[in-house]
Structures are given as structure tokens and as C-alpha cells.
Amino acid sequence: RKEVEQDPGPFNVPEGATVAFNCTYSNSASQSFFWYRQDCRKEPKLLMSVYSSGNEDGRFTAQLNRASQYISLLIRDSKLSDSATYLCVVMNTNAGKSTFGDGTTLTVKP
Amino acid sequence: SAVISQKPSRDICQRGTSLTIQCQVDSQVTMMFWYRQQPGQSLTLIATANQGSEATYESGFVIDKFPISRPNLTFSTLTVSNMSPEDSSIYLCSVEDGRFYGYTFGSGTRLTVV
């Protein structure tokens, strides 16, 4: 079993749709969690950190469930520009290591 | 967040040769990380580079194949040695921007070995 697992998709949604991605992790010692966005042929860029209380940034909402060891990303009112691969990242700061999920590909269509 | 300058951005190399990739950070950082991203896959950590000590390599990666230098707190190089077509990939350097800020990545080096 992979340490971090994501549904690879692809998710194909129309503009304006709401879409949610989940990511599960196996290491209960994980301490920090992030969602990254990677556009085609570009480097990953931080989309948002994920806090235990959940956090929202505009159309994006991230949540963490430590008991079930998963994090989620919700995108509301999808835009064409949201089309990208979304990477889940789990960090164990004590071990100084981070593990990346394989990514979920989203395509938003007009 | 930190700004990273990575070069070259891409290269096409003959098998058996070596390529050195450079990353320059605009601030001092303790650790720099080197990743590989093969086509259609996520990032795999090659090694962690600390200034003043040997790099720490992940399982499946060895120093002879991927020697790393870290001469100071703002700079690191990764060399891909004795290349084969299987080394064709994107190589990325990264620094940690803090516990709540994750990582910042260089723009990547797209390597094709022919």
C-alpha cells in the first residue's frame, strides 16, 4: 500500500461544478498536510496548507480528518483555469520527510 | 516564500554522458531536496542535501549515480551520471518554506537522454 494515495481521476467536470478530491495517508505520525497544484510541464506550486480545523481560501476548502487519516480538497464553481493536477503532500516534520501522492487530474470544460 | 533559480531548464544528452543541474535560492536554507518526476508520475525524492555534510539518499538512489554538492546555504547541484534513456525525466530542486508553508520548487530540468 502506498503511503499517500489519491484517486488519479481524471475528473472531467463542466464549468461551475463542485468537485472534491480525497487523499488518504498511512503514517499516523504525519504532522503537516498540503495541496499542491501542478500545471502541465510546470513545477508544483503550493495551493493551500490543510489545518485540523479546516480552512477555506476563496473557492477552495481543505479539510483534515486525523482519525480517519485523510484530507480533502473541495473546489466550488470550477473555472477552466482550475484544470491541473492536484497533489496531496503529507509531511512528517520530525523525520524531515514529505511524501507526495500521485496526483488527481482535473479537467474543467466549458 | 523562497525564490529558486534552477538551470538548465531542459537538455538533450547522449547516453553515457553526465549532466549537472544547479539550483540557487534567494535566501539561506538548511535543507535542499532533489526530486525526480517521471512522465505521468508524481515526485520521488532522490536525496536531501545539507550544507557541510554528505547528502542523504533515498532507497533506490546512490551517490555514484546522483552526486550532489551543497557548498553553501543558498546553492546546490545534482549530477546525473553515466546517463541512460531511463534517466529521462524532470528533475526538481526544492526547499522547505516552513511547517505551514510546505515546499517551494525550482522550475525543473526536463532531461531527455538519447
Side-chain angles (χ1 to χ4, degrees):
Chain A
R1 183 189 171 193
K2 290 184 178 179
E3 196 170 329
V4 178
E5 295 204 62
Q6 292 183 248
D7 182 344
F11 286 69
N12 298 306
V13 303
E15 269 187 294
T18 295
V19 61
F21 307 137
N22 286 327
C23 169
T24 59
Y25 61 96
S26 60
N27 187 351
S28 59
S30 302
Q31 297 156 311
S32 300
F33 309 87
F34 307 92
W35 283 102
Y36 276 74
R37 171 193 170 126
Q38 186 171 26
D39 293 287
C40 188
R41 305 174 84 83
K42 300 281 191 180
E43 75 275 20
K45 292 187 177 178
L46 180 66
L47 178 65
M48 57 197 305
S49 304
V50 187
Y51 305 128
S52 296
S53 55
N55 48 301
E56 187 174 309
D57 183 3
R59 297 181 293 107
F60 299 84
T61 300
Q63 294 198 312
L64 166 64
N65 184 320
R66 286 190 185 271
S68 300
Q69 295 185 197
Y70 79 83
I71 67 173
S72 64
L73 177 68
L74 181 77
I75 305 175
R76 291 182 299 279
D77 188 23
S78 300
K79 311 291 185 191
L80 297 177
S81 57
D82 294 333
S83 298
T85 296
Y86 292 83
L87 301 167
C88 165
V89 183
V90 174
M91 182 190 294
N92 184 334
T93 49
N94 289 340
K97 294 189 67 171
S98 291
T99 305
F100 285 75
D102 288 342
T104 298
T105 300
L106 171 67
T107 301
V108 181
K109 299 185 175 181
Chain B
S1 61
V3 176
I4 303 175
S5 173
Q6 181 174 345
K7 57 183 180 182
S9 59
R10 59 178 61 237
D11 209 338
I12 300 174
C13 301
Q14 296 289 327
R15 67 177 67 202
T17 62
S18 298
L19 174 72
T20 295
I21 302 167
Q22 300 180 6
C23 272
Q24 178 77 50
V25 190
D26 69 343
S27 58
Q28 293 185 337
V29 293
T30 304
M31 292 191 290
M32 292 181 72
F33 305 90
W34 286 97
Y35 286 88
R36 181 173 73 183
Q37 186 173 29
Q38 294 182 307
Q41 299 186 24
S42 190
L43 286 78
T44 300
L45 181 64
I46 298 171
T48 302
N50 294 315
Q51 194 268 335
S53 63
E54 290 274 334
T56 303
Y57 288 83
E58 297 300 305
S59 175
F61 298 97
V62 295
I63 188 171
D64 290 346
K65 177 66 176 177
F66 297 101
I68 286 172
S69 79
R70 184 80 202 275
N72 57 53
L73 292 173
T74 63
F75 187 78
S76 180
T77 68
L78 169 77
T79 299
V80 186
S81 302
N82 189 25
M83 289 184 285
S84 66
E86 292 71 35
D87 294 321
S88 298
S89 189
I90 299 172
Y91 293 85
L92 297 129
C93 65
S94 174
V95 301
E96 186 178 329
D97 265 330
R99 178 174 174 176
F100 298 105
Y101 300 99
Y103 296 89
T104 296
F105 288 86
S107 53
T109 297
R110 186 175 299 274
L111 171 63
T112 303
V113 184
V114 297

